[in-house]
Amino acid sequence: MFQLAFTACSFPAIVSYALAANEDLRVYTDELNKFEISIPQDWQLGAGEPNGFKSITAFYPQEASSSSVSVVITGLGPDFTRMESFGKVEAFADTLVSGLDRSWRRPPGVAAKLIDWFYYIEYTLQNPGESRKHLFSAIGMASNGWYNRLYTVTGQFVEEESEKYGSNIEKAVASFRFI
């Protein structure tokens, strides 16, 4: 049913790192959308109402925080049959991050910097005068039998929360897989 292996082909080293036993994480399974992800034990679940071609599921800490992990699923047109339909991985990552960068403006806007790419993208964003935000995104495609869907998994935390949330957010994003 699924046309493209997501995590296993895109970044196997990260997957094995993330799937190591971790009692701080629990597995969340979405039978309807056919995915699972390991998230921190005590995090809450929030879900938007699906509108046919888009749905969002988010996980966040109980206490007030800027940290979260989200899974956004978007329907794709028939011309998007493989991840390569979006272009080469490096070009895709560069386009995504450079499209967010506004540091060249006067006064400067948000600064975005590409850290790594393999359809698993690590980058930072920083608005002038605000904390740097770290983001991990994993992007994959699968079919529900009628149309292809783009899955975008994003974990984020501010620099001040990196010790508290950084490791588990990175592991959560890397643990995403289709079922």
Side-chain angles (χ1 to χ4, degrees):
M1 183 163 132
F2 293 114
Q3 295 179 347
L4 180 52
F6 176 50
T7 53
C9 293
S10 300
F11 44 96
I14 295 169
V15 172
S16 58
Y17 162 73
L19 295 180
N22 186 338
E23 58 275 353
D24 295 337
L25 301 176
R26 66 180 164 94
V27 176
Y28 171 83
T29 303
D30 185 325
E31 294 289 339
L32 179 65
N33 290 304
K34 307 289 187 208
F35 73 85
E36 66 182 35
I37 186 170
S38 297
I39 58 164
Q41 287 282 355
D42 58 346
W43 280 27
Q44 298 183 55
L45 166 70
E49 288 296 319
N51 67 3
F53 284 102
K54 190 170 189 176
S55 73
I56 184 167
T57 305
F59 308 94
Y60 52 94
Q62 293 179 9
E63 63 273 359
S65 171
S66 297
S67 299
S68 66
V69 174
S70 62
V71 179
V72 177
I73 304 168
T74 309
L76 296 173
D79 51 336
F80 290 94
T81 57
R82 309 174 318 166
M83 285 301 296
E84 291 80 12
S85 299
F86 293 100
K88 293 184 179 190
V89 177
E90 182 178 10
F92 174 83
D94 187 54
T95 299
L96 171 75
V97 176
S98 64
L100 298 170
D101 187 35
R102 301 290 182 265
S103 61
W104 49 268
R105 286 188 174 170
R106 297 293 172 243
V110 66
K113 180 181 177 189
L114 181 63
I115 308 287
D116 202 353
W117 46 268
F118 300 102
Y119 286 125
Y120 176 87
I121 303 165
E122 178 183 355
Y123 57 104
T124 61
L125 294 175
Q126 184 173 17
N127 279 313
E130 293 183 12
S131 296
R132 179 175 293 134
K133 188 178 289 190
H134 294 263
L135 295 102
F136 298 94
S137 291
I139 300 153
M141 183 188 304
S143 174
N144 68 355
W146 291 311
Y147 60 92
N148 290 328
R149 302 187 307 168
L150 181 69
Y151 291 70
T152 306
V153 183
T154 302
Q156 63 180 352
F157 59 91
V158 290
E159 205 161 87
E160 295 81 8
E161 296 179 341
S162 64
E163 193 171 306
K164 186 173 185 179
Y165 297 119
S167 175
N168 279 343
I169 287 175
E170 185 176 5
K171 289 176 186 176
V173 172
S175 75
F176 179 88
R177 70 181 190 93
F178 295 120
I179 54 172

